[in-house]
Amino acid sequence: MLEEKDRKIVSALADGIPFVPRPYAVLAEKAGMEEEEFLSRLKDLKTQGILRRVGAVLQHRRAGFSANALCIWNVPEDRLDGVGAAVSREPSVSHCYSRETAPEWPYNFYAMIHAHSREVCESIADRISAENGLGERKTFYSVREWKKAAMRYFCENH
Amino acid sequence: MLSEFDKAILNAVQGEFPLESRPFAVLAKRLHTDETTLIARLTELKRDGYLRRLGAYFDSDALGYKGTLIALYVSPDKFASVIEAINRYDGITHNYEREGEYNLWFTLQTASESQRQIILDEIHGLPGVEKMLELRSAKKYKVRVQFRLD
């Protein structure tokens, strides 16, 4: 489990990195420690893999990625890891998960594909199917984003 | 319209943001500009809606949270009220309307099983929610939201 100081760091970062010359000094103050300690703990969290990365996320639609599809397949259990590794190498795939199935829902493999048009998106999904010998695919294109927020860890109100 | 400089900035900030005292200065040097110019341009790119967020992304599993994906079919006349109710939960971070037999898909992260169940029961009971699928994550193969601008 995380130490109290690290939890403070995670929660100080809930609103992102401020656009000021020394952003970590501002965040460190929120977390009640010196900038140096904040940065050294943050680096440790990175080394341990608890922090995946610090970086920016774009508004992908605004940046021209207008076709965004959740593609779903049913992959035999023993092939999941291999297919997962292959699909993860696709630059146009942002999220790739295996998931539990549900009654009347045999699909266990999920990938989000982003492209500039539906035509391109379909061709990527078709190629992924063909290269990995996957069967029937279900495709759910995004119509509208109603919420996209970064998770605020250790500060939920529900 | 994005300039070549803007695209270079947006590609660069989607990489690893420096864990150093003056991170914008480090990044500015790589982009052959200066700290003040970079901060000013990033502020504008955010204001104009190209940049969603500059932040830290944690591994939810490592922080003790479990994630699930929920698919709903919501009747069109109740869509607005269901979205309003769903978006109020902090643990629901992504909520997308999609075409198809399930028309609303959202992710939920919770720190406990009981909290997850309470939230899902509340949502299942909302007027207009006609079908609900819970698709718990088994294995995460990739989470890397990066869009290369050419």
Side-chain angles (χ1 to χ4, degrees):
Chain A
M1 218 29 224
L2 280 194
E3 283 175 41
E4 187 53 32
K5 278 190 166 179
D6 291 330
R7 291 172 72 97
K8 285 201 169 126
I9 289 174
V10 172
S11 114
L13 280 159
D15 293 314
I17 306 273
F19 291 173
V20 295
R22 286 177 56 197
Y24 300 113
V26 173
L27 297 167
E29 201 185 332
K30 252 207 249 180
M33 63 189 83
E34 296 296 321
E35 181 189 28
E36 204 183 336
E37 184 181 10
F38 187 92
L39 272 169
S40 107
R41 282 180 173 270
L42 200 56
K43 284 179 193 164
D44 286 346
L45 291 171
K46 182 91 205 286
T47 312
Q48 296 163 48
I50 295 170
L51 173 63
R52 286 196 286 116
R53 70 177 186 117
V54 175
V57 170
L58 303 192
Q59 298 266 24
H60 52 277
R61 282 178 181 272
R62 184 94 170 91
F65 292 82
S66 56
N68 302 283
L70 175 65
C71 296
I72 303 179
W73 292 268
N74 183 3
V75 176
E77 203 68 30
D78 60 335
R79 292 192 53 221
L80 268 175
D81 286 355
V83 174
V87 174
S88 296
R89 284 193 290 271
E90 294 282 339
S92 52
V93 169
S94 64
H95 297 73
C96 180
Y97 281 79
S98 66
R99 298 187 177 279
E100 289 170 22
T101 56
E104 292 169 50
W105 194 263
Y107 310 97
N108 60 354
F109 188 73
Y110 294 70
M112 268 309 302
I113 300 177
H114 308 268
H116 291 284
S117 70
R118 285 201 180 193
E119 204 181 356
V120 173
C121 203
E122 288 292 320
S123 73
I124 294 168
D126 287 346
R127 183 174 50 72
I128 287 175
S129 287
E131 285 177 4
N132 294 284
L134 306 181
E136 182 210 351
R137 172 182 104 233
K138 279 196 181 278
T139 309
F140 295 90
Y141 278 99
S142 337
V143 177
R144 184 157 171 190
E145 176 183 289
W146 290 98
K147 185 176 187 183
K148 185 171 189 294
M151 181 65 189
R152 302 173 63 89
Y153 296 103
F154 311 131
C155 17
E156 303 95 310
N157 56 15
H158 283 281
Chain B
M1 221 15 230
L2 292 173
S3 68
E4 290 306 309
F5 180 53
D6 292 335
K7 290 180 187 174
I9 291 176
L10 291 173
N11 285 333
V13 289
Q14 288 185 86
E16 297 284 340
F17 190 71
L19 300 181
E20 290 175 52
S21 179
R22 301 278 292 270
F24 294 102
V26 174
L27 213 56
K29 206 168 168 192
R30 265 185 246 156
L31 291 161
H32 308 292
T33 183
D34 60 81
E35 186 185 46
T36 312
T37 309
L38 178 61
I39 288 178
R41 194 63 196 129
L42 278 170
T43 307
E44 288 164 355
L45 287 166
K46 179 136 196 245
R47 181 202 62 202
D48 295 344
Y50 290 100
L51 184 65
R52 192 191 296 274
R53 179 177 187 264
L54 174 62
Y57 294 89
F58 292 94
D59 178 1
S60 52
D61 297 340
L63 297 180
Y65 285 73
K66 288 253 180 296
T68 185
L69 175 70
I70 308 295
L72 300 181
Y73 178 78
V74 180
S75 65
D77 59 315
K78 296 285 195 302
F79 217 79
S81 60
V82 169
I83 283 164
E84 203 195 325
I86 286 175
N87 286 357
R88 250 184 251 136
Y89 296 98
D90 279 346
I92 294 174
T93 51
H94 298 57
N95 185 16
Y96 282 84
E97 182 178 345
R98 299 188 185 280
E99 288 174 7
E101 63 208 273
Y102 288 89
N103 56 5
L104 195 64
W105 296 71
F106 63 89
T107 57
L108 170 66
Q109 290 185 60
T110 52
S112 75
E113 186 71 11
S114 59
Q115 199 185 15
R116 188 186 60 81
Q117 204 49 59
I118 290 167
I119 293 173
L120 292 184
D121 287 347
E122 285 171 3
I123 289 170
H124 202 188
L126 291 171
V129 173
E130 296 182 5
K131 286 198 287 180
M132 177 160 149
L133 270 183
E134 193 196 348
L135 306 160
R136 283 200 222 194
S137 58
K139 214 160 179 179
K140 193 186 288 179
Y141 293 111
K142 182 182 191 181
V143 181
R144 186 71 179 91
V145 184
Q146 190 169 27
F147 297 93
R148 173 130 201 109
L149 305 180
D150 302 307

